[in-house]
Amino acid sequence: MGIGKAFLQTFENGDVVAAITSTIFIILLGFYMRKKGIFGAQVGKTLTSVVMKLALPALAFVSFMAPINDQTFKQGMGILVWGIVIYVILIAATKIMYIKYDHDTQDVMRVLTMFGSTTFFGIPIVTGIYGLKGAMYASIFNIGYRLFLYSYGYIKMSGEKMDRKNLNSMLMNPIVLATFLGLILWLLQGSMPTLTGTSPITKEAATVAFYRIDVTAPWLYKPLTYLSSLASPLAWLSIGITLGEVSLKDAVKDKSVWYYSFNKVIMVPVINIVLLVILGATGILHLDGTALATIVLMMATPTATVAAAYAISFDRKALLASNASLMSTVVATVAMPFWIVIVQILGQLSMFK
């Protein structure tokens, strides 16, 4: 399929257009409400807490309440492997990106570039476009992200070895717990005792693993879906509120912040696309359009909150980190609609079928 035809088909897809406009409109709504003082300073923090502690864990878990077959298994495992390999690649790539900077600045900018807000910024957007399948792929991809964020990122920023407190923060995170529980149940469902119920998708009888609550216990599944559906709109509102609280005046004066934002929001996704095209063309790793889009959109996110918090708490270029986080959020918000269109076009090409 030609690029032109793929481009036209992208904008003929109502779900894609609706996802783009929903993201933009709700972020702008949060921005407006904060600027007008309708939302107070604590609203954004409260919404963030609801998303991180309730909505996203529910989304991570229910996304795995799905059948498993050879195709989804291969795609899931491919995403899991790539979600680890890409961070090894980025460790080397970011060294080159910031080679002209002093050692301390280089360390901070490398960590901030490697780790984006995949959970809070990326997953809601991916889910808004690709539904629970996208959420499942995103949750699998985030396994490698969290592994490196709480180990390499922590060690690099703190100058210390991995400690018990940081390990507990990683393992006891509600999203991590929900992801691993959901992934294990998803992988094991073929060997578990079964029950018969009505599929919420086909509305027909289905025999599934007893814990597939989407079929066997809809009374439990439905509340979780209500919670999971809060993730996208509340996250977008919170992003808008955050943008409405801060001033860009100082951040825009720093050329390093602009350079960082370009690397984080543009270069990192491009690196992923180029490498995945090469791997797909050589037959080493074949991912479908949804998997490719999930990875690219997750990597086109602004600075991870945890990475910025490391810089501030360990006094490692705290002002630079704060300005970089702010600027990358603005750039990512502007660039995300373009990335959505790009991955839709790429996903319609034959090599990603």
Side-chain angles (χ1 to χ4, degrees), residues 130-216:
Y130 300 104
L132 290 180
K133 181 179 180 181
M136 179 175 68
Y137 284 173
S139 297
I140 294 173
F141 180 77
N142 252 6
I143 291 174
Y145 162 82
R146 292 189 176 279
L147 175 66
F148 279 89
L149 175 62
Y150 287 101
S151 56
Y152 176 85
Y154 175 82
I155 293 169
K156 201 71 175 174
M157 296 296 266
S158 69
E160 305 171 1
K161 294 182 179 180
M162 187 77 171
D163 63 10
R164 184 184 298 274
K165 180 180 178 181
N166 201 52
L167 183 62
N168 287 338
S169 296
M170 176 175 66
L171 296 179
M172 300 311 294
N173 182 295
I175 301 172
V176 173
L177 292 174
T179 296
F180 276 108
L181 177 59
L183 177 61
I184 292 170
L185 295 178
W186 182 66
L187 292 172
L188 295 178
Q189 61 183 295
S191 58
M192 292 289 110
T194 60
L195 291 174
T196 299
T198 302
S199 169
I201 299 175
T202 65
K203 305 302 181 183
E204 298 177 354
T207 301
V208 297
F210 71 93
Y211 52 70
R212 277 278 306 279
I213 59 174
D214 57 320
V215 175
T216 62

Coordinates of all heavy atoms in Angstrom, one line a residue, residues 130-216:
Y130 N -6.3 2.0 20.6 CA -6.3 0.6 20.3 C -7.0 -0.2 21.4 O -7.0 -1.5 21.3 CB -4.8 0.1 20.2 CG -4.1 0.8 19.1 CD1 -3.2 1.9 19.4 CD2 -4.3 0.5 17.8 CE1 -2.5 2.5 18.4 CE2 -3.6 1.2 16.8 CZ -2.7 2.2 17.1 OH -2.1 2.8 16.1
G131 N -7.7 0.4 22.3 CA -8.5 -0.3 23.3 C -7.7 -1.2 24.2 O -6.5 -1.0 24.5
L132 N -8.3 -2.3 24.7 CA -7.7 -3.1 25.7 C -6.5 -3.9 25.1 O -5.6 -4.2 25.8 CB -8.7 -4.1 26.2 CG -9.8 -3.5 27.1 CD1 -10.7 -4.6 27.7 CD2 -9.1 -2.7 28.3
K133 N -6.5 -4.2 23.8 CA -5.4 -4.8 23.2 C -4.1 -3.9 23.2 O -3.0 -4.4 23.6 CB -5.7 -5.2 21.7 CG -4.5 -5.9 21.0 CD -4.9 -6.2 19.6 CE -3.7 -6.9 18.9 NZ -4.1 -7.3 17.4
G134 N -4.3 -2.6 23.0 CA -3.2 -1.7 23.1 C -2.8 -1.5 24.5 O -1.6 -1.4 24.8
A135 N -3.7 -1.5 25.4 CA -3.4 -1.4 26.9 C -2.5 -2.7 27.3 O -1.6 -2.5 28.1 CB -4.6 -1.3 27.7
M136 N -2.9 -3.8 26.8 CA -2.2 -5.0 27.2 C -0.7 -5.0 26.6 O 0.2 -5.2 27.3 CB -2.9 -6.3 26.6 CG -2.1 -7.6 26.9 SD -3.0 -9.1 26.4 CE -2.9 -8.9 24.6
Y137 N -0.6 -4.6 25.3 CA 0.7 -4.4 24.8 C 1.6 -3.4 25.5 O 2.8 -3.6 25.7 CB 0.6 -4.1 23.3 CG 0.2 -5.2 22.3 CD1 -0.1 -4.9 21.0 CD2 0.1 -6.5 22.8 CE1 -0.4 -6.0 20.1 CE2 -0.2 -7.5 22.0 CZ -0.5 -7.3 20.6 OH -0.9 -8.3 19.8
A138 N 0.9 -2.3 25.9 CA 1.6 -1.2 26.6 C 2.1 -1.7 27.9 O 3.2 -1.4 28.4 CB 0.7 0.0 26.7
S139 N 1.3 -2.5 28.6 CA 1.6 -3.0 29.9 C 2.8 -3.9 29.8 O 3.7 -3.9 30.7 CB 0.4 -3.7 30.6 OG -0.6 -2.8 30.8
I140 N 2.8 -4.8 28.8 CA 3.9 -5.7 28.6 C 5.2 -4.9 28.3 O 6.3 -5.2 28.8 CB 3.6 -6.7 27.5 CG1 2.5 -7.6 27.9 CG2 4.8 -7.5 27.1 CD1 2.0 -8.5 26.8
F141 N 5.1 -3.9 27.4 CA 6.3 -3.1 27.1 C 6.8 -2.4 28.3 O 8.1 -2.2 28.4 CB 5.9 -2.1 26.0 CG 7.0 -1.2 25.6 CD1 7.9 -1.6 24.7 CD2 7.1 0.1 26.1 CE1 9.0 -0.8 24.3 CE2 8.2 0.9 25.7 CZ 9.1 0.5 24.8
N142 N 6.0 -2.0 29.2 CA 6.4 -1.3 30.4 C 7.2 -2.1 31.4 O 7.8 -1.6 32.3 CB 5.2 -0.6 31.1 CG 5.2 0.9 30.9 OD1 6.0 1.4 30.2 ND2 4.3 1.5 31.6
I143 N 7.2 -3.4 31.2 CA 8.0 -4.3 32.2 C 9.4 -3.9 32.1 O 10.1 -3.7 33.1 CB 7.7 -5.8 31.8 CG1 6.3 -6.1 32.2 CG2 8.7 -6.7 32.6 CD1 5.9 -7.5 31.8
G144 N 10.0 -3.9 30.8 CA 11.4 -3.5 30.7 C 11.7 -2.1 31.1 O 12.7 -1.8 31.7
Y145 N 10.7 -1.2 30.9 CA 10.8 0.2 31.3 C 11.0 0.3 32.8 O 12.0 1.0 33.3 CB 9.6 1.0 30.8 CG 9.3 2.3 31.5 CD1 10.0 3.4 31.1 CD2 8.4 2.4 32.6 CE1 9.7 4.6 31.7 CE2 8.2 3.6 33.2 CZ 8.8 4.7 32.8 OH 8.6 5.9 33.4
R146 N 10.2 -0.4 33.5 CA 10.3 -0.3 35.0 C 11.5 -1.0 35.5 O 12.1 -0.5 36.5 CB 9.0 -0.8 35.6 CG 7.8 0.0 35.4 CD 6.6 -0.4 36.2 NE 5.5 0.5 35.9 CZ 5.3 1.7 36.5 NH1 6.2 2.1 37.3 NH2 4.3 2.5 36.2
L147 N 11.9 -2.0 34.9 CA 13.1 -2.7 35.3 C 14.4 -1.8 35.2 O 15.2 -1.7 36.1 CB 13.3 -4.0 34.4 CG 14.6 -4.7 34.6 CD1 14.7 -5.4 36.0 CD2 14.8 -5.8 33.5
F148 N 14.5 -1.1 34.1 CA 15.6 -0.2 33.9 C 15.5 1.1 34.7 O 16.5 1.7 35.2 CB 15.8 0.1 32.4 CG 16.6 -1.0 31.7 CD1 15.9 -2.0 31.1 CD2 18.0 -1.0 31.6 CE1 16.5 -3.0 30.5 CE2 18.6 -2.0 31.0 CZ 17.9 -3.0 30.4
L149 N 14.2 1.6 34.8 CA 14.0 2.9 35.5 C 14.4 2.8 37.0 O 15.1 3.7 37.5 CB 12.6 3.3 35.4 CG 12.1 4.6 36.2 CD1 12.9 5.8 35.7 CD2 10.6 4.8 36.0
Y150 N 14.0 1.7 37.6 CA 14.2 1.5 39.0 C 15.6 0.9 39.3 O 15.9 0.8 40.5 CB 13.1 0.7 39.7 CG 11.8 1.5 39.8 CD1 10.8 1.3 38.8 CD2 11.6 2.4 40.8 CE1 9.6 2.0 38.9 CE2 10.4 3.1 40.9 CZ 9.4 2.9 40.0 OH 8.2 3.6 40.0
S151 N 16.3 0.6 38.3 CA 17.7 0.0 38.6 C 18.7 1.0 37.9 O 19.4 1.7 38.7 CB 17.8 -1.4 38.0 OG 17.5 -1.4 36.6
Y152 N 18.9 0.9 36.6 CA 19.9 1.8 35.9 C 19.6 3.3 36.2 O 20.5 4.0 36.6 CB 19.8 1.5 34.4 CG 20.7 2.4 33.7 CD1 22.1 2.1 33.5 CD2 20.3 3.6 33.1 CE1 22.9 3.0 32.8 CE2 21.1 4.5 32.4 CZ 22.4 4.1 32.2 OH 23.3 5.0 31.5
G153 N 18.3 3.7 36.1 CA 18.0 5.1 36.3 C 18.4 5.6 37.7 O 18.9 6.6 37.9
Y154 N 18.0 4.7 38.7 CA 18.3 5.1 40.1 C 19.7 5.1 40.4 O 20.2 6.1 41.0 CB 17.6 4.0 41.0 CG 17.9 4.2 42.5 CD1 17.2 5.2 43.2 CD2 18.9 3.5 43.1 CE1 17.5 5.3 44.6 CE2 19.2 3.6 44.4 CZ 18.5 4.6 45.2 OH 18.8 4.8 46.5
I155 N 20.5 4.1 39.9 CA 21.9 4.0 40.2 C 22.7 5.2 39.5 O 23.5 5.8 40.1 CB 22.5 2.7 39.7 CG1 21.9 1.5 40.6 CG2 24.0 2.7 39.8 CD1 22.2 0.2 40.0
K156 N 22.3 5.5 38.3 CA 22.9 6.6 37.6 C 22.7 7.9 38.2 O 23.6 8.8 38.3 CB 22.4 6.6 36.1 CG 23.3 7.3 35.1 CD 24.5 6.5 34.9 CE 25.4 7.1 33.8 NZ 26.7 6.3 33.6
M157 N 21.5 8.2 38.7 CA 21.2 9.5 39.3 C 21.6 9.6 40.7 O 22.0 10.7 41.2 CB 19.6 9.7 39.2 CG 19.1 9.8 37.8 SD 19.7 11.2 36.9 CE 18.4 12.4 37.2
S158 N 21.6 8.5 41.5 CA 22.0 8.6 42.9 C 23.4 8.4 43.2 O 24.0 8.8 44.2 CB 21.2 7.5 43.7 OG 21.6 6.2 43.4
G159 N 24.1 7.7 42.2 CA 25.5 7.3 42.4 C 25.7 6.2 43.5 O 26.8 5.9 43.9
E160 N 24.5 5.6 43.8 CA 24.6 4.5 44.8 C 24.2 3.2 44.2 O 23.8 3.1 43.0 CB 23.6 4.8 46.0 CG 23.8 6.2 46.6 CD 22.7 6.5 47.6 OE1 21.8 5.7 47.7 OE2 22.8 7.6 48.2
K161 N 24.3 2.1 45.0 CA 23.8 0.8 44.5 C 22.3 0.7 44.7 O 21.8 1.5 45.5 CB 24.6 -0.3 45.2 CG 26.1 -0.4 44.9 CD 26.7 -1.5 45.6 CE 28.2 -1.6 45.3 NZ 28.9 -2.8 46.0
M162 N 21.7 -0.2 44.1 CA 20.3 -0.5 44.3 C 20.0 -0.8 45.7 O 20.7 -1.6 46.3 CB 19.9 -1.7 43.4 CG 18.4 -1.9 43.3 SD 17.6 -0.7 42.3 CE 15.9 -1.5 42.2
D163 N 19.0 -0.1 46.3 CA 18.7 -0.4 47.7 C 17.3 -1.0 47.9 O 16.5 -1.1 46.9 CB 18.8 0.9 48.6 CG 17.8 1.9 48.2 OD1 16.9 1.7 47.4 OD2 17.9 3.1 48.7
R164 N 17.1 -1.5 49.1 CA 15.8 -2.3 49.3 C 14.6 -1.4 49.1 O 13.6 -1.8 48.6 CB 15.9 -2.8 50.7 CG 14.7 -3.7 51.1 CD 14.7 -4.1 52.6 NE 15.9 -4.9 52.8 CZ 15.9 -6.2 52.6 NH1 14.8 -6.9 52.2 NH2 17.0 -6.9 52.9
K165 N 14.7 -0.1 49.6 CA 13.6 0.8 49.5 C 13.2 1.0 48.0 O 12.0 1.0 47.7 CB 14.0 2.1 50.1 CG 12.8 3.2 50.1 CD 13.3 4.5 50.7 CE 12.1 5.5 50.6 NZ 12.6 6.8 51.2
N166 N 14.2 1.2 47.2 CA 13.8 1.4 45.7 C 13.3 0.1 45.1 O 12.4 0.2 44.3 CB 15.1 1.9 45.0 CG 14.7 2.6 43.7 OD1 14.0 3.5 43.7 ND2 15.3 2.2 42.6
L167 N 13.8 -1.0 45.5 CA 13.3 -2.3 45.0 C 11.8 -2.5 45.4 O 11.0 -2.9 44.6 CB 14.2 -3.4 45.5 CG 13.8 -4.8 45.0 CD1 14.0 -4.9 43.5 CD2 14.7 -5.9 45.7
N168 N 11.5 -2.1 46.7 CA 10.2 -2.2 47.2 C 9.2 -1.3 46.4 O 8.1 -1.7 46.1 CB 10.1 -1.9 48.7 CG 10.7 -3.1 49.5 OD1 10.7 -4.2 49.1 ND2 11.1 -2.7 50.7
S169 N 9.7 -0.1 46.1 CA 8.9 0.9 45.3 C 8.5 0.3 44.0 O 7.4 0.5 43.5 CB 9.7 2.2 45.2 OG 9.9 2.8 46.4
M170 N 9.5 -0.4 43.4 CA 9.2 -1.0 42.1 C 8.3 -2.2 42.1 O 7.3 -2.2 41.4 CB 10.6 -1.5 41.4 CG 10.4 -2.2 40.1 SD 11.9 -2.6 39.3 CE 12.6 -3.8 40.5
L171 N 8.5 -3.1 43.1 CA 7.7 -4.3 43.1 C 6.3 -4.1 43.7 O 5.4 -4.8 43.3 CB 8.5 -5.4 43.9 CG 9.8 -5.8 43.3 CD1 10.5 -6.9 44.3 CD2 9.6 -6.4 42.0
M172 N 6.2 -3.2 44.6 CA 4.9 -3.0 45.3 C 4.0 -1.9 44.6 O 2.9 -1.6 45.1 CB 5.1 -2.6 46.8 CG 5.9 -3.7 47.5 SD 5.2 -5.4 47.3 CE 3.6 -5.2 48.1
N173 N 4.5 -1.4 43.5 CA 3.7 -0.4 42.8 C 2.4 -1.1 42.3 O 2.4 -2.2 41.7 CB 4.5 0.1 41.6 CG 3.8 1.2 40.8 OD1 2.7 0.9 40.2 ND2 4.3 2.4 40.7
P174 N 1.2 -0.5 42.5 CA 0.0 -1.1 42.1 C -0.1 -1.5 40.7 O -0.7 -2.5 40.3 CB -1.1 -0.1 42.5 CG -0.5 0.8 43.5 CD 1.0 0.8 43.2
I175 N 0.5 -0.6 39.8 CA 0.4 -0.9 38.4 C 1.3 -2.1 38.0 O 0.9 -3.0 37.2 CB 0.9 0.3 37.6 CG1 0.0 1.5 37.9 CG2 0.9 0.0 36.1 CD1 0.4 2.8 37.3
V176 N 2.5 -2.2 38.7 CA 3.4 -3.3 38.5 C 2.7 -4.6 38.9 O 2.7 -5.7 38.2 CB 4.7 -3.1 39.2 CG1 5.6 -4.4 39.1 CG2 5.4 -1.9 38.6
L177 N 2.1 -4.6 40.1 CA 1.4 -5.8 40.6 C 0.3 -6.2 39.7 O 0.2 -7.4 39.4 CB 0.9 -5.5 42.0 CG 1.9 -5.3 43.2 CD1 1.2 -4.9 44.4 CD2 2.7 -6.5 43.4
A178 N -0.5 -5.3 39.2 CA -1.6 -5.6 38.4 C -1.1 -6.2 37.0 O -1.7 -7.1 36.5 CB -2.5 -4.4 38.1
T179 N 0.0 -5.6 36.5 CA 0.5 -6.0 35.2 C 1.0 -7.5 35.3 O 0.7 -8.3 34.5 CB 1.7 -5.1 34.8 OG1 1.2 -3.8 34.6 CG2 2.3 -5.6 33.5
F180 N 1.8 -7.8 36.4 CA 2.4 -9.1 36.5 C 1.3 -10.1 36.7 O 1.3 -11.2 36.2 CB 3.5 -9.2 37.6 CG 4.8 -8.7 37.1 CD1 5.4 -7.5 37.5 CD2 5.5 -9.5 36.2 CE1 6.6 -7.1 37.0 CE2 6.8 -9.1 35.8 CZ 7.3 -7.9 36.1
L181 N 0.3 -9.8 37.6 CA -0.8 -10.7 37.8 C -1.6 -11.0 36.6 O -1.9 -12.1 36.2 CB -1.7 -10.1 38.9 CG -3.0 -11.0 39.3 CD1 -2.6 -12.3 39.7 CD2 -3.8 -10.2 40.3
G182 N -1.9 -9.9 35.8 CA -2.6 -10.1 34.6 C -1.9 -10.9 33.6 O -2.4 -11.7 32.9
L183 N -0.6 -10.6 33.4 CA 0.3 -11.3 32.4 C 0.4 -12.8 32.8 O 0.2 -13.6 31.9 CB 1.7 -10.7 32.4 CG 2.7 -11.3 31.5 CD1 2.2 -11.3 30.0 CD2 4.1 -10.7 31.6
I184 N 0.6 -13.1 34.0 CA 0.7 -14.5 34.4 C -0.6 -15.2 34.1 O -0.7 -16.4 33.6 CB 1.1 -14.6 35.9 CG1 2.5 -14.1 36.1 CG2 0.9 -16.1 36.4 CD1 2.9 -14.0 37.6
L185 N -1.8 -14.6 34.5 CA -3.1 -15.2 34.2 C -3.3 -15.4 32.8 O -3.9 -16.4 32.3 CB -4.2 -14.4 34.9 CG -4.2 -14.3 36.4 CD1 -5.3 -13.4 36.9 CD2 -4.3 -15.7 37.0
W186 N -2.9 -14.4 32.0 CA -3.1 -14.5 30.5 C -2.3 -15.6 29.9 O -2.8 -16.3 29.1 CB -2.7 -13.1 29.9 CG -2.8 -13.0 28.4 CD1 -4.0 -13.0 27.7 CD2 -1.8 -12.9 27.5 NE1 -3.8 -12.8 26.4 CE2 -2.4 -12.8 26.2 CE3 -0.4 -12.8 27.5 CZ2 -1.7 -12.6 25.0 CZ3 0.3 -12.6 26.4 CH2 -0.3 -12.6 25.1
L187 N -1.1 -15.8 30.4 CA -0.2 -16.8 29.8 C -0.7 -18.2 30.2 O -0.5 -19.2 29.4 CB 1.2 -16.6 30.2 CG 1.9 -15.4 29.7 CD1 3.3 -15.2 30.3 CD2 2.1 -15.5 28.1
L188 N -1.2 -18.4 31.4 CA -1.6 -19.7 31.9 C -3.0 -20.2 31.6 O -3.3 -21.3 31.9 CB -1.4 -19.7 33.5 CG 0.1 -19.5 34.0 CD1 0.1 -19.5 35.5 CD2 1.0 -20.6 33.4
Q189 N -3.8 -19.3 31.0 CA -5.2 -19.6 30.9 C -5.5 -20.9 30.1 O -6.5 -21.6 30.4 CB -6.0 -18.5 30.3 CG -5.5 -18.1 28.8 CD -6.3 -16.9 28.3 OE1 -7.5 -16.9 28.2 NE2 -5.6 -15.8 28.1
G190 N -4.6 -21.3 29.2 CA -4.8 -22.5 28.4 C -4.7 -23.8 29.2 O -5.3 -24.8 28.8
S191 N -4.1 -23.7 30.4 CA -3.9 -24.9 31.2 C -4.7 -24.9 32.5 O -4.6 -25.8 33.4 CB -2.4 -25.1 31.6 OG -2.0 -24.0 32.3
M192 N -5.7 -24.0 32.6 CA -6.5 -23.8 33.8 C -7.9 -24.5 33.7 O -8.3 -24.7 32.5 CB -6.7 -22.4 34.2 CG -5.4 -21.7 34.6 SD -4.8 -22.2 36.2 CE -3.3 -23.1 35.8
P193 N -8.5 -24.9 34.8 CA -9.9 -25.3 34.7 C -10.8 -24.3 34.1 O -10.5 -23.1 34.2 CB -10.3 -25.6 36.2 CG -9.0 -25.7 36.9 CD -8.0 -24.9 36.2
T194 N -11.8 -24.7 33.4 CA -12.7 -23.8 32.6 C -14.1 -23.7 33.2 O -14.6 -24.6 33.9 CB -12.7 -24.2 31.2 OG1 -13.3 -25.5 31.1 CG2 -11.3 -24.2 30.6
L195 N -14.7 -22.6 32.8 CA -16.1 -22.4 33.1 C -16.7 -21.8 31.8 O -16.0 -21.2 30.9 CB -16.3 -21.4 34.2 CG -16.0 -21.9 35.6 CD1 -16.1 -20.7 36.6 CD2 -16.9 -23.0 36.0
T196 N -18.0 -21.9 31.6 CA -18.7 -21.4 30.5 C -19.6 -20.2 30.9 O -20.3 -20.2 31.9 CB -19.6 -22.4 29.8 OG1 -18.8 -23.5 29.4 CG2 -20.3 -21.9 28.6
G197 N -19.5 -19.1 30.1 CA -20.3 -17.9 30.3 C -20.5 -17.2 29.0 O -20.3 -17.8 27.9
T198 N -21.0 -16.0 29.1 CA -21.3 -15.2 27.9 C -20.2 -14.2 27.6 O -19.9 -13.4 28.5 CB -22.6 -14.5 28.0 OG1 -23.7 -15.4 28.3 CG2 -23.0 -13.7 26.7
S199 N -19.6 -14.2 26.4 CA -18.6 -13.3 26.1 C -19.1 -11.9 26.0 O -20.2 -11.7 25.3 CB -17.9 -13.7 24.7 OG -17.1 -12.6 24.2
P200 N -18.5 -10.9 26.6 CA -19.0 -9.5 26.5 C -18.8 -8.9 25.1 O -19.4 -7.9 24.8 CB -18.1 -8.8 27.5 CG -16.9 -9.5 27.6 CD -17.3 -11.0 27.4
I201 N -18.0 -9.5 24.3 CA -17.7 -9.0 22.9 C -18.7 -9.6 21.9 O -19.4 -8.9 21.2 CB -16.3 -9.3 22.5 CG1 -15.3 -8.5 23.5 CG2 -16.0 -8.8 21.1 CD1 -13.9 -8.8 23.2
T202 N -18.7 -11.0 21.9 CA -19.5 -11.7 20.9 C -21.0 -11.9 21.3 O -21.9 -12.2 20.5 CB -18.9 -13.0 20.5 OG1 -18.9 -13.9 21.7 CG2 -17.5 -12.9 20.0
K203 N -21.2 -11.8 22.7 CA -22.5 -12.0 23.3 C -23.0 -13.5 23.1 O -24.1 -13.8 23.1 CB -23.6 -11.1 22.7 CG -23.2 -9.6 22.8 CD -23.0 -9.2 24.2 CE -22.7 -7.7 24.3 NZ -22.4 -7.2 25.6
E204 N -22.0 -14.3 22.9 CA -22.2 -15.8 22.7 C -21.6 -16.5 23.8 O -20.7 -16.0 24.5 CB -21.8 -16.2 21.3 CG -22.5 -15.6 20.1 CD -21.9 -16.0 18.8 OE1 -20.9 -16.8 18.8 OE2 -22.4 -15.6 17.8
A205 N -22.0 -17.8 24.0 CA -21.4 -18.7 25.0 C -19.9 -18.9 24.7 O -19.5 -19.1 23.5 CB -22.1 -20.0 25.0
A206 N -19.1 -18.8 25.7 CA -17.7 -19.0 25.6 C -17.1 -19.8 26.8 O -17.6 -19.6 27.9 CB -16.9 -17.7 25.5
T207 N -16.2 -20.8 26.5 CA -15.6 -21.6 27.6 C -14.2 -21.1 27.8 O -13.4 -21.1 26.9 CB -15.6 -23.1 27.2 OG1 -17.0 -23.5 27.0 CG2 -15.0 -23.9 28.3
V208 N -13.9 -20.6 29.0 CA -12.7 -19.9 29.3 C -12.1 -20.4 30.6 O -12.8 -21.1 31.4 CB -12.8 -18.4 29.3 CG1 -13.3 -17.9 27.9 CG2 -13.8 -18.0 30.4
A209 N -10.9 -20.0 30.9 CA -10.3 -20.2 32.2 C -11.2 -19.6 33.3 O -11.8 -18.6 33.1 CB -8.9 -19.6 32.3
F210 N -11.3 -20.3 34.4 CA -12.3 -19.9 35.4 C -12.1 -18.5 35.9 O -13.0 -17.8 36.4 CB -12.2 -20.9 36.6 CG -10.9 -20.8 37.5 CD1 -10.9 -20.0 38.6 CD2 -9.8 -21.5 37.1 CE1 -9.8 -19.9 39.4 CE2 -8.6 -21.4 37.9 CZ -8.6 -20.6 39.0
Y211 N -10.8 -17.9 35.8 CA -10.6 -16.6 36.3 C -10.8 -15.5 35.3 O -10.5 -14.3 35.5 CB -9.2 -16.5 36.9 CG -8.1 -17.0 36.0 CD1 -7.7 -16.3 34.9 CD2 -7.4 -18.1 36.3 CE1 -6.7 -16.7 34.1 CE2 -6.3 -18.6 35.5 CZ -6.0 -17.8 34.4 OH -5.0 -18.3 33.6
R212 N -11.2 -15.9 34.1 CA -11.5 -14.9 33.0 C -12.8 -14.2 33.4 O -13.9 -14.5 32.9 CB -11.6 -15.6 31.7 CG -10.3 -15.8 31.0 CD -9.7 -14.6 30.2 NE -10.8 -14.1 29.3 CZ -11.0 -14.5 28.1 NH1 -10.3 -15.6 27.7 NH2 -12.0 -14.0 27.4
I213 N -12.7 -13.2 34.3 CA -13.9 -12.6 34.9 C -14.7 -11.8 33.9 O -15.9 -11.5 34.1 CB -13.5 -11.7 36.1 CG1 -12.6 -10.6 35.6 CG2 -12.9 -12.5 37.2 CD1 -12.3 -9.5 36.7
D214 N -14.1 -11.5 32.7 CA -14.9 -10.8 31.7 C -16.1 -11.7 31.2 O -17.1 -11.3 30.8 CB -14.1 -10.4 30.5 CG -13.3 -11.6 29.9 OD1 -12.8 -12.5 30.6 OD2 -13.2 -11.7 28.6
V215 N -15.9 -13.1 31.3 CA -16.9 -14.0 30.9 C -17.6 -14.7 32.1 O -18.8 -14.8 32.1 CB -16.3 -15.1 30.0 CG1 -17.3 -16.2 29.7 CG2 -15.7 -14.5 28.7
T216 N -16.8 -15.1 33.1 CA -17.3 -15.9 34.2 C -17.8 -15.0 35.4 O -18.6 -15.5 36.2 CB -16.2 -16.8 34.8 OG1 -15.1 -16.0 35.3 CG2 -15.7 -17.7 33.7

